Amino acid sequence: MIKHLIKLSNHLDKRGLTKEADYLDILIRRASDLDSKNKEIADLNEEIRKLKKMIAELILRVGKETGVAGSKEKRIYTEKDRKIQSGYLQSLIDEKQLRINEIKKDL
């Protein structure tokens, strides 16, 4: 739709209707900004969804053996491990939610 508005704005400019074309350009910029903000919100929401899934998966790891790839060192994944990792992931979620709130405030 924005492409059509740009064509219309160019057409108005060619016909000498610069005031109308300028007004339409402002609307185009606002629509474009709104689209990019909505896209950013959608991307942040997707990241939040993935982080929440990771937190849920951490619960399943408690009590199971864990280790670093390529390392011979193994140990049991504890509830303390889960709380530490979940806390970190939750802080990432909170940061993303704050960003979403900032964007929405500007809309």
Coordinates of all heavy atoms in Angstrom, one line a residue, residues 25-88:
D25 N 3.5 12.7 1.8 CA 4.8 12.2 2.2 C 4.9 12.0 3.7 O 5.5 11.0 4.2 CB 5.9 13.1 1.7 CG 6.1 13.0 0.2 OD1 5.7 12.0 -0.4 OD2 6.7 14.0 -0.4
I26 N 4.3 12.9 4.4 CA 4.3 12.8 5.9 C 3.6 11.6 6.3 O 4.0 10.9 7.2 CB 3.7 14.1 6.5 CG1 4.6 15.3 6.3 CG2 3.4 13.9 8.0 CD1 4.0 16.7 6.6
L27 N 2.4 11.4 5.7 CA 1.6 10.2 6.0 C 2.4 8.9 5.7 O 2.3 7.9 6.4 CB 0.3 10.2 5.3 CG -0.7 11.3 5.7 CD1 -2.0 11.2 4.8 CD2 -1.1 11.2 7.1
I28 N 3.1 8.9 4.6 CA 3.9 7.7 4.2 C 5.0 7.4 5.2 O 5.2 6.3 5.6 CB 4.5 7.9 2.8 CG1 3.4 8.0 1.7 CG2 5.6 6.9 2.5 CD1 3.9 8.5 0.4
R29 N 5.7 8.5 5.7 CA 6.7 8.3 6.7 C 6.1 7.8 8.0 O 6.7 6.9 8.6 CB 7.4 9.7 7.0 CG 8.6 9.8 6.1 CD 9.5 11.0 6.5 NE 9.5 11.9 5.3 CZ 8.8 13.1 5.2 NH1 8.1 13.5 6.2 NH2 8.9 13.8 4.1
R30 N 5.0 8.3 8.4 CA 4.4 7.8 9.6 C 3.9 6.4 9.5 O 4.1 5.6 10.4 CB 3.1 8.7 10.0 CG 3.5 10.0 10.5 CD 2.3 10.8 10.9 NE 2.7 12.1 11.4 CZ 1.8 13.1 11.6 NH1 0.5 12.9 11.4 NH2 2.2 14.3 12.0
A31 N 3.4 6.0 8.3 CA 3.0 4.6 8.1 C 4.2 3.7 8.1 O 4.1 2.6 8.7 CB 2.2 4.5 6.8
S32 N 5.3 4.1 7.5 CA 6.5 3.3 7.5 C 7.1 3.2 8.9 O 7.5 2.1 9.2 CB 7.5 4.0 6.6 OG 8.7 3.3 6.5
D33 N 7.1 4.2 9.7 CA 7.5 4.1 11.1 C 6.7 3.2 11.8 O 7.2 2.4 12.6 CB 7.5 5.5 11.7 CG 8.6 6.4 11.2 OD1 9.5 5.9 10.5 OD2 8.5 7.6 11.5
L34 N 5.4 3.2 11.7 CA 4.5 2.4 12.4 C 4.7 0.9 12.0 O 4.8 0.0 12.8 CB 3.0 2.7 12.1 CG 1.9 2.0 12.8 CD1 2.1 2.3 14.3 CD2 0.6 2.5 12.3
D35 N 4.9 0.7 10.7 CA 5.2 -0.7 10.2 C 6.5 -1.2 10.9 O 6.5 -2.4 11.3 CB 5.4 -0.7 8.7 CG 4.1 -0.8 8.0 OD1 3.0 -0.9 8.6 OD2 4.1 -0.6 6.7
S36 N 7.5 -0.4 10.9 CA 8.8 -0.9 11.5 C 8.7 -1.1 13.0 O 9.3 -2.1 13.5 CB 10.0 0.1 11.2 OG 9.7 1.3 11.8
K37 N 7.9 -0.3 13.7 CA 7.7 -0.5 15.1 C 6.9 -1.7 15.4 O 7.2 -2.5 16.3 CB 7.1 0.7 15.7 CG 8.0 1.9 15.8 CD 7.3 3.2 16.4 CE 8.3 4.3 16.5 NZ 7.7 5.5 17.0
N38 N 5.9 -2.0 14.6 CA 5.1 -3.2 14.7 C 5.9 -4.4 14.5 O 5.8 -5.5 15.1 CB 3.9 -3.2 13.8 CG 2.8 -2.3 14.4 OD1 2.7 -2.0 15.6 ND2 1.9 -1.7 13.5
K39 N 6.8 -4.3 13.5 CA 7.7 -5.5 13.2 C 8.7 -5.7 14.3 O 8.9 -6.9 14.7 CB 8.5 -5.1 11.9 CG 9.7 -6.1 11.6 CD 9.3 -7.2 10.7 CE 10.4 -8.0 10.2 NZ 11.0 -8.9 11.2
E40 N 9.2 -4.6 14.9 CA 10.1 -4.8 16.1 C 9.4 -5.4 17.2 O 9.9 -6.3 17.9 CB 10.7 -3.4 16.5 CG 11.7 -3.6 17.6 CD 12.4 -2.2 17.9 OE1 12.1 -1.2 17.3 OE2 13.2 -2.3 18.8
I41 N 8.2 -5.0 17.5 CA 7.4 -5.6 18.6 C 7.1 -7.1 18.3 O 7.3 -7.9 19.2 CB 6.0 -4.8 18.7 CG1 6.3 -3.5 19.4 CG2 5.0 -5.6 19.6 CD1 5.0 -2.6 19.4
A42 N 6.8 -7.4 17.1 CA 6.6 -8.8 16.8 C 7.9 -9.7 17.0 O 7.8 -10.8 17.5 CB 6.1 -9.0 15.3
D43 N 9.0 -9.1 16.6 CA 10.3 -9.8 16.7 C 10.6 -10.0 18.2 O 11.0 -11.1 18.6 CB 11.4 -9.0 16.1 CG 11.3 -9.1 14.5 OD1 10.6 -9.9 14.0 OD2 12.0 -8.2 13.9
L44 N 10.4 -8.9 19.0 CA 10.6 -9.0 20.4 C 9.7 -10.1 21.1 O 10.1 -10.8 22.0 CB 10.5 -7.7 21.1 CG 11.6 -6.6 20.8 CD1 11.1 -5.2 21.2 CD2 12.9 -7.0 21.5
N45 N 8.4 -10.1 20.7 CA 7.5 -11.1 21.2 C 7.9 -12.5 20.9 O 7.8 -13.4 21.7 CB 6.1 -10.8 20.8 CG 5.4 -9.7 21.6 OD1 5.6 -9.6 22.8 ND2 4.6 -8.9 20.9
E46 N 8.5 -12.7 19.7 CA 9.0 -14.0 19.3 C 10.2 -14.4 20.2 O 10.3 -15.6 20.6 CB 9.3 -14.0 17.8 CG 9.9 -15.3 17.3 CD 8.9 -16.5 17.5 OE1 7.7 -16.3 17.6 OE2 9.4 -17.7 17.5
E47 N 11.1 -13.5 20.4 CA 12.2 -13.7 21.3 C 11.8 -14.1 22.7 O 12.3 -15.0 23.3 CB 13.2 -12.5 21.3 CG 13.9 -12.3 20.0 CD 14.7 -11.1 20.0 OE1 15.2 -10.6 21.1 OE2 15.0 -10.5 18.9
I48 N 10.8 -13.4 23.2 CA 10.2 -13.6 24.5 C 9.7 -15.0 24.6 O 9.9 -15.8 25.5 CB 9.2 -12.6 24.9 CG1 9.9 -11.2 25.3 CG2 8.4 -13.0 26.1 CD1 8.9 -10.1 25.5
R49 N 8.9 -15.4 23.5 CA 8.3 -16.8 23.5 C 9.4 -17.8 23.5 O 9.3 -18.8 24.3 CB 7.5 -16.9 22.2 CG 6.7 -18.2 22.1 CD 6.2 -18.5 20.7 NE 7.2 -18.7 19.7 CZ 7.9 -19.8 19.6 NH1 7.8 -20.8 20.5 NH2 8.9 -20.0 18.7
K50 N 10.5 -17.6 22.8 CA 11.6 -18.6 22.8 C 12.3 -18.7 24.2 O 12.6 -19.8 24.6 CB 12.6 -18.2 21.7 CG 12.1 -18.5 20.3 CD 13.2 -18.1 19.3 CE 12.7 -18.3 17.9 NZ 13.6 -17.8 16.9
L51 N 12.5 -17.5 24.8 CA 13.1 -17.5 26.1 C 12.2 -18.2 27.2 O 12.7 -19.0 28.0 CB 13.4 -16.1 26.6 CG 14.5 -15.4 25.8 CD1 14.5 -13.9 26.1 CD2 15.9 -16.0 26.2
K52 N 10.9 -18.0 27.1 CA 10.0 -18.7 28.0 C 10.0 -20.2 27.8 O 10.0 -21.0 28.7 CB 8.6 -18.2 27.8 CG 8.4 -16.8 28.4 CD 7.0 -16.3 28.3 CE 6.8 -15.0 29.0 NZ 5.4 -14.5 28.8
K53 N 10.2 -20.6 26.5 CA 10.3 -22.0 26.2 C 11.6 -22.6 26.8 O 11.6 -23.7 27.4 CB 10.2 -22.3 24.7 CG 10.3 -23.7 24.3 CD 10.2 -23.9 22.8 CE 10.4 -25.3 22.4 NZ 10.5 -25.5 21.0
M54 N 12.6 -21.8 26.8 CA 13.9 -22.3 27.3 C 13.8 -22.4 28.8 O 14.3 -23.4 29.4 CB 15.0 -21.3 27.0 CG 15.4 -21.3 25.5 SD 16.5 -20.0 25.1 CE 18.0 -20.4 26.0
I55 N 13.1 -21.5 29.5 CA 12.9 -21.6 30.9 C 12.1 -22.9 31.3 O 12.5 -23.6 32.2 CB 12.2 -20.4 31.5 CG1 13.1 -19.2 31.4 CG2 11.7 -20.6 32.9 CD1 12.5 -17.8 31.8
A56 N 11.1 -23.2 30.5 CA 10.3 -24.4 30.7 C 11.1 -25.6 30.6 O 11.0 -26.6 31.3 CB 9.1 -24.4 29.8
E57 N 12.0 -25.6 29.6 CA 12.9 -26.8 29.3 C 13.9 -27.0 30.5 O 14.3 -28.1 30.7 CB 13.6 -26.6 28.0 CG 12.6 -26.8 26.8 CD 13.2 -26.4 25.5 OE1 14.4 -25.9 25.4 OE2 12.5 -26.6 24.5
L58 N 14.2 -25.9 31.1 CA 15.2 -26.1 32.2 C 14.7 -26.9 33.4 O 15.4 -27.7 34.0 CB 15.6 -24.7 32.8 CG 16.5 -23.8 31.9 CD1 16.7 -22.4 32.5 CD2 17.8 -24.5 31.6
I59 N 13.4 -26.9 33.6 CA 12.7 -27.7 34.6 C 13.0 -29.2 34.4 O 13.2 -29.9 35.3 CB 11.2 -27.3 34.7 CG1 11.1 -25.9 35.2 CG2 10.5 -28.3 35.7 CD1 9.7 -25.3 35.1
L60 N 12.9 -29.5 33.1 CA 13.1 -30.9 32.8 C 14.5 -31.4 33.0 O 14.7 -32.6 33.1 CB 12.7 -31.2 31.3 CG 11.2 -30.8 31.0 CD1 11.0 -30.9 29.5 CD2 10.2 -31.6 31.8
R61 N 15.5 -30.5 33.0 CA 16.9 -30.9 33.2 C 17.3 -31.2 34.6 O 18.3 -31.9 34.9 CB 17.8 -29.8 32.6 CG 17.7 -29.7 31.1 CD 18.5 -28.6 30.6 NE 19.9 -28.8 30.9 CZ 20.9 -27.9 30.8 NH1 20.6 -26.7 30.3 NH2 22.1 -28.2 31.1
V62 N 16.5 -30.7 35.6 CA 16.9 -30.9 37.0 C 17.0 -32.3 37.3 O 16.1 -33.1 37.0 CB 15.9 -30.2 37.9 CG1 16.1 -30.5 39.4 CG2 15.9 -28.7 37.7
G63 N 18.1 -32.7 37.9 CA 18.3 -34.1 38.3 C 19.0 -34.9 37.3 O 19.3 -36.1 37.5
K64 N 19.2 -34.4 36.1 CA 19.9 -35.1 35.0 C 21.3 -34.7 34.9 O 21.8 -33.7 35.3 CB 19.2 -34.9 33.7 CG 17.7 -35.4 33.7 CD 17.1 -35.2 32.4 CE 15.6 -35.8 32.5 NZ 14.9 -35.5 31.3
E65 N 22.1 -35.6 34.3 CA 23.5 -35.4 34.1 C 23.7 -34.3 33.1 O 23.0 -34.3 32.1 CB 24.2 -36.7 33.7 CG 25.7 -36.7 33.9 CD 26.3 -38.1 33.6 OE1 26.6 -38.3 32.4 OE2 26.5 -38.8 34.6
T66 N 24.7 -33.5 33.3 CA 25.0 -32.4 32.4 C 26.5 -32.3 32.3 O 27.3 -32.7 33.1 CB 24.4 -31.1 32.8 OG1 24.6 -30.1 31.8 CG2 24.9 -30.6 34.1
G67 N 27.0 -31.7 31.2 CA 28.4 -31.4 31.0 C 28.6 -30.6 29.7 O 27.7 -30.4 28.9
V68 N 29.8 -30.1 29.6 CA 30.2 -29.3 28.5 C 30.6 -30.2 27.3 O 31.3 -31.1 27.6 CB 31.3 -28.3 28.9 CG1 31.7 -27.4 27.7 CG2 30.9 -27.4 30.0
A69 N 30.2 -29.9 26.1 CA 30.6 -30.7 25.0 C 32.1 -30.8 24.9 O 32.8 -29.8 25.0 CB 30.0 -30.1 23.7
G70 N 32.6 -32.0 24.7 CA 34.0 -32.2 24.6 C 34.8 -32.4 25.9 O 35.9 -32.7 26.0
S71 N 34.0 -32.2 27.0 CA 34.6 -32.3 28.3 C 34.3 -33.6 29.0 O 33.2 -34.1 28.8 CB 34.1 -31.1 29.2 OG 34.5 -31.3 30.5
K72 N 35.2 -34.2 29.7 CA 34.9 -35.4 30.4 C 34.2 -35.2 31.7 O 33.7 -36.1 32.4 CB 36.2 -36.2 30.7 CG 36.9 -36.7 29.4 CD 38.2 -37.4 29.7 CE 38.8 -37.8 28.4 NZ 40.1 -38.5 28.6
E73 N 34.2 -33.9 32.1 CA 33.6 -33.5 33.4 C 32.0 -33.6 33.3 O 31.4 -32.9 32.4 CB 34.0 -32.1 33.8 CG 33.5 -31.7 35.2 CD 33.9 -30.3 35.5 OE1 35.1 -29.9 35.2 OE2 33.1 -29.5 36.0
K74 N 31.4 -34.3 34.2 CA 30.0 -34.4 34.2 C 29.5 -34.1 35.6 O 30.2 -34.3 36.6 CB 29.5 -35.9 33.8 CG 29.9 -36.3 32.5 CD 29.0 -35.8 31.4 CE 29.4 -36.4 30.1 NZ 28.8 -35.8 29.0
R75 N 28.3 -33.6 35.7 CA 27.7 -33.4 37.0 C 26.2 -33.4 36.9 O 25.7 -33.4 35.8 CB 28.2 -32.1 37.7 CG 27.8 -30.8 36.9 CD 28.5 -29.6 37.6 NE 27.9 -28.4 37.1 CZ 26.8 -27.8 37.6 NH1 26.1 -28.3 38.5 NH2 26.4 -26.7 37.0
I76 N 25.5 -33.4 38.0 CA 24.1 -33.4 38.0 C 23.6 -31.9 38.0 O 24.0 -31.1 38.7 CB 23.5 -34.1 39.3 CG1 24.0 -35.5 39.3 CG2 22.0 -34.0 39.3 CD1 23.6 -36.4 38.2
Y77 N 22.7 -31.7 37.1 CA 22.0 -30.3 37.0 C 21.1 -30.2 38.1 O 20.2 -31.0 38.3 CB 21.3 -30.3 35.6 CG 20.7 -28.9 35.3 CD1 21.6 -28.0 34.7 CD2 19.4 -28.6 35.5 CE1 21.1 -26.7 34.4 CE2 18.9 -27.3 35.2 CZ 19.8 -26.4 34.6 OH 19.3 -25.2 34.3
T78 N 21.3 -29.1 38.9 CA 20.6 -29.0 40.2 C 19.5 -27.9 40.1 O 19.4 -27.1 39.1 CB 21.5 -28.6 41.3 OG1 22.0 -27.3 41.1 CG2 22.6 -29.6 41.5
E79 N 18.6 -27.9 41.1 CA 17.6 -26.8 41.2 C 18.3 -25.4 41.3 O 17.7 -24.5 40.7 CB 16.7 -27.1 42.4 CG 15.6 -26.1 42.6 CD 14.6 -26.1 41.5 OE1 14.4 -27.1 40.7 OE2 13.9 -25.0 41.3
K80 N 19.4 -25.4 41.9 CA 20.1 -24.1 42.0 C 20.6 -23.6 40.6 O 20.4 -22.5 40.3 CB 21.3 -24.2 42.9 CG 22.1 -23.0 43.2 CD 23.2 -23.2 44.1 CE 24.0 -21.9 44.3 NZ 25.2 -22.0 45.2
D81 N 21.1 -24.6 39.8 CA 21.4 -24.3 38.4 C 20.2 -23.7 37.7 O 20.4 -22.7 37.0 CB 22.0 -25.5 37.7 CG 23.2 -26.1 38.3 OD1 24.1 -25.3 38.8 OD2 23.4 -27.3 38.3
R82 N 19.1 -24.4 37.8 CA 17.9 -24.0 37.1 C 17.5 -22.6 37.5 O 17.2 -21.7 36.7 CB 16.7 -24.9 37.4 CG 15.5 -24.6 36.6 CD 14.2 -25.1 37.1 NE 13.9 -24.6 38.5 CZ 13.3 -23.4 38.7 NH1 13.1 -22.6 37.7 NH2 13.1 -23.1 39.9
K83 N 17.6 -22.3 38.8 CA 17.2 -20.9 39.3 C 18.1 -19.9 38.8 O 17.6 -18.8 38.4 CB 17.2 -20.9 40.9 CG 16.0 -21.6 41.5 CD 16.0 -21.5 43.0 CE 14.8 -22.2 43.6 NZ 14.8 -22.2 45.0
I84 N 19.4 -20.1 38.7 CA 20.3 -19.2 38.2 C 20.1 -18.9 36.7 O 20.0 -17.7 36.3 CB 21.8 -19.6 38.4 CG1 22.1 -19.6 39.9 CG2 22.8 -18.8 37.6 CD1 23.4 -20.3 40.3
Q85 N 19.9 -20.0 36.0 CA 19.7 -19.8 34.5 C 18.3 -19.2 34.2 O 18.2 -18.3 33.4 CB 19.9 -21.1 33.8 CG 21.3 -21.6 33.8 CD 21.5 -22.9 33.1 OE1 20.6 -23.6 32.8 NE2 22.8 -23.2 32.8
S86 N 17.3 -19.6 35.0 CA 16.0 -19.1 34.8 C 16.0 -17.6 35.1 O 15.3 -16.8 34.4 CB 15.0 -19.8 35.7 OG 14.8 -21.1 35.3
G87 N 16.7 -17.2 36.2 CA 16.7 -15.8 36.6 C 17.4 -14.9 35.5 O 16.9 -13.9 35.2
Y88 N 18.4 -15.5 34.9 CA 19.1 -14.7 33.8 C 18.2 -14.6 32.6 O 18.0 -13.5 32.0 CB 20.4 -15.5 33.4 CG 21.0 -14.9 32.1 CD1 21.6 -13.6 32.2 CD2 21.0 -15.5 30.9 CE1 22.2 -13.0 31.1 CE2 21.5 -15.0 29.8 CZ 22.1 -13.7 29.9 OH 22.7 -13.2 28.7

